[in-house]
């Protein structure tokens, strides 16, 4: 029996077999595969086996096994959009800020004022995300200074990064600026205002002066200023 590979390779079982005429029952292997055809030798004495013909138009080397492509990691996120948690919300307007504070109930609310161009904000961001994850009952509201300059000016924000803590009827509990080196200031504020079990009543939200400043710029309705003042007086009276 002889084996012939059309790609240019020939193999013979022995010298004696190589001297014999190739029988019709010879075994032929082509350089490509797809269909298999078996034909019986016309002379059983010459070849007791069967002829295997492999033919097709595609070369063997064209068959390459490829692993499924996996989706590339999302690298389009900007630094202030990374590592966010469910209790971290990007504020889109002054009205959303007011509503978020009023609807927070007795939860601690942290206002995080930042700028994409602030190196200190960028360095501090991963740690703020970690603290947000460790305090799921607190609400972290992110405010992009570059997108809300009028609102930040109305709230008297002069330095970045800057934080304000609000909780229940107390309204603003504290405000400060800190960096990566002074992160302990942030942790201490969380421990003091975030774990208190004292009942504080309905959320007060922004101070009346802050609401008035926002309303004067047309960022919120003036009705919110009057309503907030009445609600706060009612809460104070009920506590007494």
């Amino acid at each position: 029996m002889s084996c012939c590979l059309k790609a240019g390779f020939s193999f013979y079982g022995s010298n004696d077999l190589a001297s014999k005429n190739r029988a019709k029952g010879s075994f032929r292997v082509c350089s490509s595969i797809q269909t298999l055809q078996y034909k019986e030798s016309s002379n059983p004495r010459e070849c007791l086996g069967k002829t295997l013909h492999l033919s097709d138009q595609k070369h063997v080397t064209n068959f390459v096994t490829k692993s499924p492509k996996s989706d590339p990691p999302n690298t389009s996120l900007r630094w202030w959009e990374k590592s966010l948690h469910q209790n971290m919300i990007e504020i889109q307007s002054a009205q959303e800020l007011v509503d978020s504070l009023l609807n927070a109930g007795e939860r601690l609310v942290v206002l995080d004022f930042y700028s994409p161009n602030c190196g200190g904000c960028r360095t501090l961001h991963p740690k703020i995300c970690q603290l947000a994850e460790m305090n799921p009952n607190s609400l972290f509201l992110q405010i992009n200074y570059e997108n809300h300059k009028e609102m930040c000016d109305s709230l008297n924000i002069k330095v970045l990064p800057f934080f304000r803590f609000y909780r229940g009827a107390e309204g603003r509990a504290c405000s400060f600026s800190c960096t990566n080196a002074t992160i302990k200031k942030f942790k201490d504020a969380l421990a003091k205002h975030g774990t208190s079990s004292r009942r504080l009543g309905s959320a007060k939200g922004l101070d009346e002066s802050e609401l008035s400043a926002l309303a004067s710029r047309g960022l919120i309705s003036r009705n919110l200023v009057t309503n907030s003042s009445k609600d706060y007086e009612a809460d104070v009276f009920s506590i007494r």
Side-chain angles (χ1 to χ4, degrees):
M1 176 184 288
S2 65
C3 177
C4 177
L5 186 62
K6 284 189 176 181
F9 300 96
S10 299
F11 300 91
Y12 299 96
S14 65
N15 293 333
D16 293 336
L17 291 176
S19 62
K20 294 182 180 180
N21 293 328
R22 294 185 178 86
K24 293 183 179 179
S26 61
F27 180 64
R28 301 179 60 205
V29 180
C30 300
S31 59
S32 56
I33 60 173
Q34 183 161 354
T35 61
L36 304 178
Q37 297 177 344
Y38 296 86
K39 294 183 180 179
E40 300 219 7
S41 171
S42 60
N43 190 345
R45 294 183 178 180
E46 294 180 359
C47 181
L48 298 178
K50 295 180 179 180
T51 302
L52 177 62
H53 294 277
L54 308 172
S55 60
D56 166 316
Q57 299 299 322
K58 298 179 181 179
H59 196 274
V60 173
T61 56
N62 291 335
F63 288 87
V64 180
T65 302
K66 295 182 179 180
S67 58
K69 292 183 179 180
S70 57
D71 295 332
N74 191 347
T75 57
S76 61
L77 291 178
R78 295 164 292 189
W79 67 260
W80 61 92
E81 298 172 333
K82 296 179 180 179
S83 305
L84 300 182
H85 300 283
Q86 292 183 349
N87 59 334
M88 303 181 74
I89 299 174
E90 180 74 26
I91 293 298
Q92 303 298 331
S93 66
Q95 184 63 59
E96 183 182 5
L97 173 62
V98 172
D99 292 341
S100 296
L101 285 169
L102 292 177
N103 295 331
E106 294 188 348
R107 295 177 67 185
L108 176 66
V109 182
V110 179
L111 304 190
D112 176 3
F113 296 89
Y114 73 93
S115 170
N117 303 321
C118 172
C121 301
R122 181 170 186 169
T123 303
L124 191 60
H125 178 72
K127 290 191 176 181
I128 298 299
C129 292
Q130 291 177 359
L131 291 171
E133 184 180 16
M134 295 168 59
N135 295 268
N137 293 327
S138 299
L139 184 62
F140 289 70
L141 305 181
Q142 295 181 291
I143 303 173
N144 188 328
Y145 177 84
E146 303 303 328
N147 293 340
H148 305 287
K149 289 183 178 181
E150 279 192 308
M151 178 171 66
C152 292
D153 187 55
S154 299
L155 299 178
N156 200 32
I157 304 302
K158 303 297 184 182
V159 62
L160 297 174
F162 195 79
F163 302 93
R164 281 187 178 173
F165 285 54
Y166 291 80
R167 188 174 180 198
E170 286 185 349
R172 190 198 307 177
C174 65
S175 58
F176 55 87
S177 177
C178 76
T179 63
N180 199 37
T182 58
I183 189 63
K184 185 178 183 301
K185 186 187 299 186
F186 191 98
K187 294 178 179 179
D188 290 344
L190 273 178
K192 179 179 180 180
H193 303 289
T195 59
S196 175
S197 59
R198 184 167 60 92
R199 302 279 305 174
L200 299 175
S202 300
K204 175 188 175 183
L206 297 177
D207 294 338
E208 187 174 352
S209 60
E210 295 172 329
L211 292 173
S212 297
L214 292 173
S216 66
R217 294 173 180 262
L219 299 177
I220 62 172
S221 171
R222 288 188 175 275
N223 294 331
L224 289 174
V225 181
T226 304
N227 293 337
S228 176
S229 178
K230 291 180 179 179
D231 292 341
Y232 177 65
E233 291 176 359
D235 288 337
V236 172
F237 181 78
S238 62
I239 293 174
R240 291 177 180 176

